Amino acid sequence: MSKIIVFGSRKGGVGKSTVSVLAANALSQEPFNQKVTVIDTDQQKSISKLRLMDAEDFDEVLPYEVLNYNVPTFEKNIKDLDSRNDIILVDVAGKLDTSLPVEQQEISRVINYVDFLFIPFVSGNFGLESTLDYLKFVLQFQAKRKAEGRPFQI
């Protein structure tokens, strides 16, 4: 069974995708040598696009797999991926739809499987406010998961 990790934030440009790739690079190689898969569910698909460029320029086997999934495909395949990986990093969009309940949010469909959620942020009033909004959202979801006996760490 793998550890499923998300670097999540409501704010764009805080480094979610960058930190996911850096973590995948580090954890898939010496001294860790973990079997790592990155799942790109973000609509921008920046990790998937960069991996295509890597594949063109790199002659050896790449150190970790990158999968270009939408959220329903993620949900369909996560059990199989969970059984054959040590670590799964999921790149998610930060969009919150405050008109929907927590459990109906698209981001909730991914966080439902997460073991660890890290929240990167940048300084400034807008960055702080959107980080706090995101934290309030994930705390609600964390309480729901804890009540179900499936807690995750923030």
Side-chain angles (χ1 to χ4, degrees), residues 27-78:
L27 295 168
S28 66
Q29 298 177 62
E30 290 288 339
F32 304 107
N33 295 322
Q34 299 290 300
K35 171 79 170 114
V36 177
T37 294
V38 176
I39 303 173
D40 190 354
T41 65
D42 190 351
Q43 293 177 349
Q44 291 180 9
K45 301 296 181 191
S46 57
I47 293 176
S48 297
K49 290 174 188 172
L50 291 172
R51 176 45 64 100
L52 288 174
M53 290 190 289
D54 286 345
E56 291 173 4
D57 297 336
F58 201 72
D59 294 330
E60 299 175 32
V61 176
L62 295 166
Y64 59 90
E65 180 178 35
V66 173
L67 301 173
N68 181 353
Y69 283 177
N70 59 24
V71 173
T73 304
F74 165 82
E75 291 172 313
K76 179 181 172 186
N77 291 292
I78 192 60

Side-chain angles (χ1 to χ4, degrees), residues 50-126:
L50 291 172
R51 176 45 64 100
L52 288 174
M53 290 190 289
D54 286 345
E56 291 173 4
D57 297 336
F58 201 72
D59 294 330
E60 299 175 32
V61 176
L62 295 166
Y64 59 90
E65 180 178 35
V66 173
L67 301 173
N68 181 353
Y69 283 177
N70 59 24
V71 173
T73 304
F74 165 82
E75 291 172 313
K76 179 181 172 186
N77 291 292
I78 192 60
K79 284 186 181 180
D80 176 56
L81 291 165
D82 189 31
S83 69
R84 59 185 175 97
N85 283 281
D86 299 312
I87 297 173
I88 298 172
L89 295 151
V90 187
D91 191 35
V92 295
K95 181 181 179 290
L96 299 179
D97 185 349
T98 55
S99 66
L100 292 174
V102 168
E103 55 278 347
Q104 292 179 8
Q105 301 268 341
E106 184 171 276
I107 187 70
S108 299
R109 293 170 61 188
V110 174
I111 293 176
N112 196 44
Y113 297 93
V114 167
D115 297 302
F116 299 96
L117 173 69
F118 296 90
I119 305 174
F121 63 93
V122 295
S123 62
N125 290 335
F126 181 71

